[in-house]
Amino acid sequence: MNVTASRERGRGLRQTLTRGGGVDRFRRQPLAVAALVFVVVITTVCILAPLLTPYPFDRGVLADTLQGPSARHPLGTDDVGRDVLSRLLYGGRTTLLAAVQATGFSVILGVPAGLIAAFAGGWVDACLSRVADAIMTFPALLLAVVIIGITGPGLTNAMIAIGVVYGPRLFRVARAAGLAVLNETYIAAAKTVGCSPLRILMRHILPNALSPLLVQVSLTMATAVLAEGSLSFLGLGVQPPQSSWGAVLGRSVPQMSQHPVPVIAAGVLISLLVLSFNLLGDGIRDSIGRERKS
Amino acid sequence: MNPILNLERVTVEFVRQRAVGRPRQVLHAVNEVDLEIAPGEAVGLVGESGSGKSTVARAITGLNPVTSGAIGVDGNSVLRAKGKDLRMLRRRFQMVFQDPYSSLDPSMSIGSTLTESLTVHGLERGPAAVERAADMLLAVGLRSADLAKYPHEFSGGQRQRIAIARALMTDPDLIILDEAVSALDVSTRAQVLDLLQGLRRDRRLAYLFIGHDLAVVQRMSDRIAVMYLGRIVEVGPADDVIRNPQHPYTASLLASVPQVGSRGAERAAELRRRLHVRADPPDPWNPPSGCAFATRCPFVMEMCRAETPPAVEIASEAVSRCHLATDAGRGTESEARWDRAREFLAMPSPAS
């Protein structure tokens, strides 16, 4: 046996020996780890925003409007004299919360329905799947804009709309994962042991279908961040003086040629967060799958 | 003694429609199977793949719906029971599956897997349940520290021991072993078989032992039933069925087993020469008329293709579904064949 093969085997052995080989595989993907770190750091910093920022997000000093970066204002000030860094940190809370709302809503909508469709099969599956297909034909942003048009501007409603439209994606992933798990012998074993259908669904199918769902959740987070950004950029999302990354971006675009820093900062943050969620999703996907046969 | 499990004319059908407009086709995966298992008895079920062995097991445990017939447990019909009652009845017969790698939930610790059946049936909870699980692990030759581990930390043989422990948790009367040792390598297999025999002795368990390795099935069983294309074609005491098969299919099944060592090699070679099974098994969606084995049987007579042979009691507790076992061949143009076949299979002269 040559050296590479034996090293490969050693790694394989270590994988089977350490519990949760998936975590190990995740750790071996630098990009995914970096993405996870970025998401965690951003989330922490945004949550701690009131402690970290010396300035309020909603009140500016009119004497200090449109300043460039300085020691007092690292990213400058906006057109009403508010500190851009503070607004970005506070805004991150809105952006993340909105993304969590949208994703959470699509999870609540999609996952139970998907698992039930997989488990029940037959006409239940057919009905749920057709409903999911129908919802999927809606353009997410357009539906959000319509709902905002009806209910007035506000992020929560918009995010529910986004959540509804992205629900079918989670439905599909949950259904597919559920179907795969359903064919496993341990489901038959659970039936012979005498488990009720609900128990089989919650204790056996859900935990084993979780990994692909996690991937989809991460990808949906990315889309939701983008959706919030777009809506707030257009002024349909959070309303002044509330802040969000999209709002900061939208607010600073008119002065872009003289004061590019806020636009760049908000844009980079949004891009990095979206990228991170995507990389995170890819990373999780690459760490699962082989688990089953190990 | 009352049987603990009684199958009466159990039939399991699968229906398919290949395309819209084409007629629906019916496959009799299990065809009017009668089988009784007494308390503490081990019954072997053999046959080639596709013969319906596993479907019988899955019908008993309720994994496949039964089209017609009756499955009785102590006088209660499993097929009429619903919901909770059914689950309580099922508690009394548990199953061990073939593939130990997929029969344990990878996301559950061994402890949770074992205690689950106790929780589900409301038998025991909390520490008492864990204690019983630990005892059970010891009984199958593992350590109680293994309760906290997950399936991927165990080898195939160990996993199969865990699956056996899980089956034992509800204190069943009957365990269905569906090719339970087929996926294990030879040395592990012997250990697991020893374990199964020990458990049976200690707990007065009945086994339905499904397998294709005839030597293993003979060793494990009191009686053997042979299945071909959904029907039980021969039943009898294990040693009789293996040493002196009365149904041509059983004989050819035995002849196809490669012999290790020289014991009985001559007889086996002769059997193989005579009983070399021609052709592939028939398409189960489109079975031949008459006896299903007629297309491959070395002793086939004209009547075999026309009439389905009845189940004939050939000795006490031994049944064969073959025209050779009846008088029917006598006096027909194939009488000479009939005689030779009976002689070859060493059948006793029928009472006339």
Side-chain angles (χ1 to χ4, degrees), chain A residues 185-196 200 204, chain B residues 90 97 103 116 120 166:
Chain A
T185 317
Y186 54 78
I187 299 302
K191 282 183 195 163
T192 37
V193 160
C195 295
S196 62
I200 291 175
H204 296 282
Chain B
R90 274 192 201 157
F97 296 84
S103 69
E116 180 171 46
V120 163
R166 170 176 59 191

mmCIF file of all heavy atoms in Angstrom, chain A residues 185-196 200 204, chain B residues 90 97 103 116 120 166:
data_model
loop_
_atom_site.group_PDB
_atom_site.id
_atom_site.type_symbol
_atom_site.label_atom_id
_atom_site.label_comp_id
_atom_site.label_asym_id
_atom_site.label_seq_id
_atom_site.Cartn_x
_atom_site.Cartn_y
_atom_site.Cartn_z
ATOM 1 N N THR A 185 -34.372 1.080 5.925
ATOM 2 C CA THR A 185 -34.932 -0.019 6.693
ATOM 3 C C THR A 185 -35.313 0.403 8.104
ATOM 4 O O THR A 185 -36.217 -0.158 8.697
ATOM 5 C CB THR A 185 -33.921 -1.173 6.758
ATOM 6 O OG1 THR A 185 -33.351 -1.352 5.477
ATOM 7 C CG2 THR A 185 -34.584 -2.452 7.183
ATOM 8 N N TYR A 186 -34.602 1.430 8.642
ATOM 9 C CA TYR A 186 -34.913 1.757 10.041
ATOM 10 C C TYR A 186 -36.297 2.360 10.201
ATOM 11 O O TYR A 186 -36.839 2.365 11.309
ATOM 12 C CB TYR A 186 -33.833 2.628 10.680
ATOM 13 C CG TYR A 186 -33.475 3.904 9.963
ATOM 14 C CD1 TYR A 186 -34.278 5.030 10.058
ATOM 15 C CD2 TYR A 186 -32.306 3.990 9.229
ATOM 16 C CE1 TYR A 186 -33.924 6.201 9.417
ATOM 17 C CE2 TYR A 186 -31.950 5.150 8.585
ATOM 18 C CZ TYR A 186 -32.751 6.247 8.679
ATOM 19 O OH TYR A 186 -32.409 7.404 8.048
ATOM 20 N N ILE A 187 -36.880 2.828 9.112
ATOM 21 C CA ILE A 187 -38.267 3.290 9.202
ATOM 22 C C ILE A 187 -39.193 2.072 9.317
ATOM 23 O O ILE A 187 -40.109 2.047 10.146
ATOM 24 C CB ILE A 187 -38.632 4.149 7.976
ATOM 25 C CG1 ILE A 187 -37.727 5.377 7.903
ATOM 26 C CG2 ILE A 187 -40.089 4.571 8.027
ATOM 27 C CD1 ILE A 187 -37.774 6.274 9.111
ATOM 28 N N ALA A 188 -38.922 1.049 8.492
ATOM 29 C CA ALA A 188 -39.688 -0.195 8.618
ATOM 30 C C ALA A 188 -39.514 -0.781 10.015
ATOM 31 O O ALA A 188 -40.469 -1.263 10.631
ATOM 32 C CB ALA A 188 -39.237 -1.193 7.556
ATOM 33 N N ALA A 189 -38.277 -0.702 10.525
ATOM 34 C CA ALA A 189 -38.011 -1.229 11.862
ATOM 35 C C ALA A 189 -38.830 -0.466 12.904
ATOM 36 O O ALA A 189 -39.398 -1.059 13.817
ATOM 37 C CB ALA A 189 -36.519 -1.133 12.176
ATOM 38 N N ALA A 190 -38.895 0.852 12.748
ATOM 39 C CA ALA A 190 -39.674 1.656 13.695
ATOM 40 C C ALA A 190 -41.140 1.267 13.655
ATOM 41 O O ALA A 190 -41.820 1.210 14.681
ATOM 42 C CB ALA A 190 -39.513 3.144 13.385
ATOM 43 N N LYS A 191 -41.623 0.949 12.445
ATOM 44 C CA LYS A 191 -43.025 0.520 12.341
ATOM 45 C C LYS A 191 -43.243 -0.801 13.056
ATOM 46 O O LYS A 191 -44.226 -0.973 13.764
ATOM 47 C CB LYS A 191 -43.417 0.372 10.864
ATOM 48 C CG LYS A 191 -43.689 1.694 10.184
ATOM 49 C CD LYS A 191 -44.134 1.448 8.739
ATOM 50 C CE LYS A 191 -44.048 2.730 7.936
ATOM 51 N NZ LYS A 191 -44.067 2.471 6.497
ATOM 52 N N THR A 192 -42.320 -1.750 12.851
ATOM 53 C CA THR A 192 -42.515 -3.048 13.499
ATOM 54 C C THR A 192 -42.395 -2.938 15.007
ATOM 55 O O THR A 192 -43.026 -3.694 15.728
ATOM 56 C CB THR A 192 -41.508 -4.104 13.014
ATOM 57 O OG1 THR A 192 -40.261 -3.468 12.818
ATOM 58 C CG2 THR A 192 -41.946 -4.720 11.731
ATOM 59 N N VAL A 193 -41.572 -2.000 15.469
ATOM 60 C CA VAL A 193 -41.467 -1.802 16.913
ATOM 61 C C VAL A 193 -42.797 -1.288 17.457
ATOM 62 O O VAL A 193 -43.153 -1.533 18.602
ATOM 63 C CB VAL A 193 -40.297 -0.843 17.229
ATOM 64 C CG1 VAL A 193 -40.450 -0.242 18.595
ATOM 65 C CG2 VAL A 193 -38.984 -1.587 17.123
ATOM 66 N N GLY A 194 -43.560 -0.580 16.634
ATOM 67 C CA GLY A 194 -44.870 -0.102 17.056
ATOM 68 C C GLY A 194 -44.969 1.407 17.184
ATOM 69 O O GLY A 194 -45.866 1.919 17.854
ATOM 70 N N CYS A 195 -44.043 2.142 16.573
ATOM 71 C CA CYS A 195 -44.094 3.602 16.646
ATOM 72 C C CYS A 195 -45.309 4.132 15.882
ATOM 73 O O CYS A 195 -45.676 3.607 14.834
ATOM 74 C CB CYS A 195 -42.838 4.206 16.022
ATOM 75 S SG CYS A 195 -41.341 3.809 16.908
ATOM 76 N N SER A 196 -45.907 5.187 16.412
ATOM 77 C CA SER A 196 -47.022 5.819 15.721
ATOM 78 C C SER A 196 -46.475 6.634 14.555
ATOM 79 O O SER A 196 -45.305 7.015 14.555
ATOM 80 C CB SER A 196 -47.770 6.729 16.682
ATOM 81 O OG SER A 196 -46.911 7.749 17.126
ATOM 82 N N ILE A 200 -42.775 8.461 14.131
ATOM 83 C CA ILE A 200 -41.841 8.140 13.058
ATOM 84 C C ILE A 200 -41.431 9.419 12.324
ATOM 85 O O ILE A 200 -40.261 9.654 12.042
ATOM 86 C CB ILE A 200 -42.474 7.131 12.083
ATOM 87 C CG1 ILE A 200 -42.612 5.783 12.780
ATOM 88 C CG2 ILE A 200 -41.637 6.985 10.822
ATOM 89 C CD1 ILE A 200 -43.333 4.741 11.976
ATOM 90 N N HIS A 204 -37.774 9.974 13.651
ATOM 91 C CA HIS A 204 -36.923 9.205 12.738
ATOM 92 C C HIS A 204 -36.703 9.918 11.408
ATOM 93 O O HIS A 204 -35.594 9.959 10.915
ATOM 94 C CB HIS A 204 -37.525 7.821 12.500
ATOM 95 C CG HIS A 204 -37.574 6.983 13.736
ATOM 96 N ND1 HIS A 204 -36.477 6.339 14.247
ATOM 97 C CD2 HIS A 204 -38.584 6.704 14.588
ATOM 98 C CE1 HIS A 204 -36.806 5.690 15.351
ATOM 99 N NE2 HIS A 204 -38.093 5.898 15.584
ATOM 100 N N ARG B 90 -48.628 -6.208 17.504
ATOM 101 C CA ARG B 90 -47.337 -6.281 16.822
ATOM 102 C C ARG B 90 -46.186 -6.418 17.793
ATOM 103 O O ARG B 90 -45.118 -6.898 17.452
ATOM 104 C CB ARG B 90 -47.111 -5.013 16.008
ATOM 105 C CG ARG B 90 -47.711 -5.103 14.652
ATOM 106 C CD ARG B 90 -47.188 -3.963 13.839
ATOM 107 N NE ARG B 90 -48.081 -3.700 12.723
ATOM 108 C CZ ARG B 90 -48.142 -2.561 12.110
ATOM 109 N NH1 ARG B 90 -47.375 -1.568 12.509
ATOM 110 N NH2 ARG B 90 -48.954 -2.389 11.106
ATOM 111 N N PHE B 97 -33.908 -7.291 10.544
ATOM 112 C CA PHE B 97 -33.789 -7.125 9.100
ATOM 113 C C PHE B 97 -32.428 -7.578 8.591
ATOM 114 O O PHE B 97 -31.488 -7.769 9.356
ATOM 115 C CB PHE B 97 -34.024 -5.665 8.722
ATOM 116 C CG PHE B 97 -35.412 -5.195 9.032
ATOM 117 C CD1 PHE B 97 -35.744 -4.743 10.298
ATOM 118 C CD2 PHE B 97 -36.395 -5.230 8.063
ATOM 119 C CE1 PHE B 97 -37.023 -4.315 10.585
ATOM 120 C CE2 PHE B 97 -37.677 -4.814 8.347
ATOM 121 C CZ PHE B 97 -37.990 -4.350 9.616
ATOM 122 N N SER B 103 -30.678 -0.715 9.191
ATOM 123 C CA SER B 103 -31.843 -0.997 10.030
ATOM 124 C C SER B 103 -31.808 -0.257 11.364
ATOM 125 O O SER B 103 -32.759 -0.326 12.129
ATOM 126 C CB SER B 103 -31.995 -2.499 10.253
ATOM 127 O OG SER B 103 -30.953 -2.976 11.062
ATOM 128 N N GLU B 116 -36.872 3.013 22.948
ATOM 129 C CA GLU B 116 -38.028 3.519 22.218
ATOM 130 C C GLU B 116 -39.211 2.561 22.257
ATOM 131 O O GLU B 116 -40.350 2.972 22.500
ATOM 132 C CB GLU B 116 -37.653 3.798 20.762
ATOM 133 C CG GLU B 116 -38.833 4.337 19.970
ATOM 134 C CD GLU B 116 -38.426 4.822 18.596
ATOM 135 O OE1 GLU B 116 -37.685 4.109 17.917
ATOM 136 O OE2 GLU B 116 -38.866 5.921 18.217
ATOM 137 N N VAL B 120 -42.868 3.457 23.539
ATOM 138 C CA VAL B 120 -43.998 3.421 22.617
ATOM 139 C C VAL B 120 -45.135 2.572 23.179
ATOM 140 O O VAL B 120 -46.305 2.918 23.069
ATOM 141 C CB VAL B 120 -43.529 2.865 21.251
ATOM 142 C CG1 VAL B 120 -44.705 2.423 20.422
ATOM 143 C CG2 VAL B 120 -42.724 3.917 20.529
ATOM 144 N N ARG B 166 -33.004 -4.907 20.109
ATOM 145 C CA ARG B 166 -34.196 -4.084 19.923
ATOM 146 C C ARG B 166 -35.439 -4.953 19.765
ATOM 147 O O ARG B 166 -36.484 -4.672 20.340
ATOM 148 C CB ARG B 166 -34.040 -3.205 18.679
ATOM 149 C CG ARG B 166 -35.352 -2.505 18.293
ATOM 150 C CD ARG B 166 -35.180 -1.563 17.143
ATOM 151 N NE ARG B 166 -34.684 -2.243 15.950
ATOM 152 C CZ ARG B 166 -34.257 -1.611 14.865
ATOM 153 N NH1 ARG B 166 -34.250 -0.295 14.830
ATOM 154 N NH2 ARG B 166 -33.824 -2.284 13.831
#
